[in-house]
Amino acid sequence: MLSTQTTQKIEQLAASLSLYVYDIDFLKEDERHILRISITKKAPMQNLSSKDSNAVSLQDCQALSELLSPLLDVENINMDSYHLQVSSPGLERILKKPQHYAFSLGEILNIKLTDKSTLQGILHNVNDTHITLLIEQDEMAIPLESIKKAKVIFEF
């Protein structure tokens, strides 16, 4: 429901705070329309060694929300009313889009394939058609089309 121009403006505002837009979703929960913008400090295709270096704080969410509210008030969103939510995508998140994989480089994934087998390994590489998992020192290329479900696994 957002135009490409509005999405780009949202991404620019996030970048002004050293944040990246992970995803933008329109949801409906209990008759409420929600515009959920998920943000991260980790850039796409960035492989960080420290798990804490990409943590999004409540202050990050609040700062971006305050910047976005005036923008969204003047943009044509094609919705009468909605609630804006700015949050992190979460530690153990489902990966649905190719860009989600780009944001998850270096993280441990649990993958269910269309043939019902499962794999777990570190996301080593991503391109438009495949991901590469590092499983016990071996690299395995997996076509995106053969992935039924992928989830980031957080280890404490």
Side-chain angles (χ1 to χ4, degrees):
M1 289 189 200
L2 293 179
S3 69
T4 303
Q5 289 177 325
T6 301
T7 300
Q8 289 172 345
K9 289 176 185 177
I10 291 170
E11 290 171 348
Q12 289 170 353
L13 285 173
S16 74
L17 299 173
S18 300
L19 300 168
Y20 300 91
V21 174
Y22 178 85
D23 204 4
I24 298 175
D25 284 320
F26 280 101
L27 309 165
K28 188 173 181 180
E29 293 178 358
D30 298 327
E31 301 301 316
R32 292 182 353 172
H33 294 280
I34 298 171
L35 171 58
R36 181 173 296 151
I37 300 174
S38 300
I39 57 173
T40 182
K41 288 186 177 180
K42 180 180 175 185
M45 300 303 290
Q46 181 182 15
N47 195 345
L48 299 176
S49 57
S50 171
K51 293 189 186 313
D52 292 347
S53 57
N54 65 341
V56 172
S57 70
L58 183 58
Q59 290 79 12
D60 293 327
C61 296
Q62 180 179 353
L64 184 58
S65 181
E66 289 171 358
L67 285 177
L68 290 176
S69 288
L71 169 71
L72 295 172
D73 286 345
V74 298
E75 292 291 319
N76 184 10
I77 297 187
N78 297 327
M79 236 188 238
D80 292 335
S81 66
Y82 64 92
H83 296 277
L84 174 63
Q85 288 183 355
V86 179
S87 65
S88 80
L91 293 175
E92 291 197 345
R93 60 198 173 277
I94 303 292
L95 307 179
K96 298 177 184 175
K97 303 174 184 175
Q99 85 176 32
H100 293 166
Y101 291 94
F103 277 106
S104 302
L105 196 64
E107 298 185 81
I108 300 170
L109 301 186
N110 186 23
I111 296 178
K112 292 183 183 174
L113 300 173
T114 53
D115 69 1
K116 299 185 181 181
S117 63
T118 60
L119 300 169
Q120 187 166 318
I122 297 171
L123 182 59
H124 186 65
N125 200 359
V126 179
N127 66 34
D128 292 337
T129 60
H130 289 74
I131 65 168
T132 304
L133 278 187
L134 187 60
I135 303 172
E136 297 179 12
Q137 309 302 325
D138 293 326
E139 288 186 10
M140 175 181 251
I142 304 166
L144 288 172
E145 64 188 23
S146 69
I147 298 173
K148 184 173 182 178
K149 183 177 181 182
K151 180 179 179 180
V152 172
I153 302 298
F154 181 75
E155 290 186 340
F156 296 94

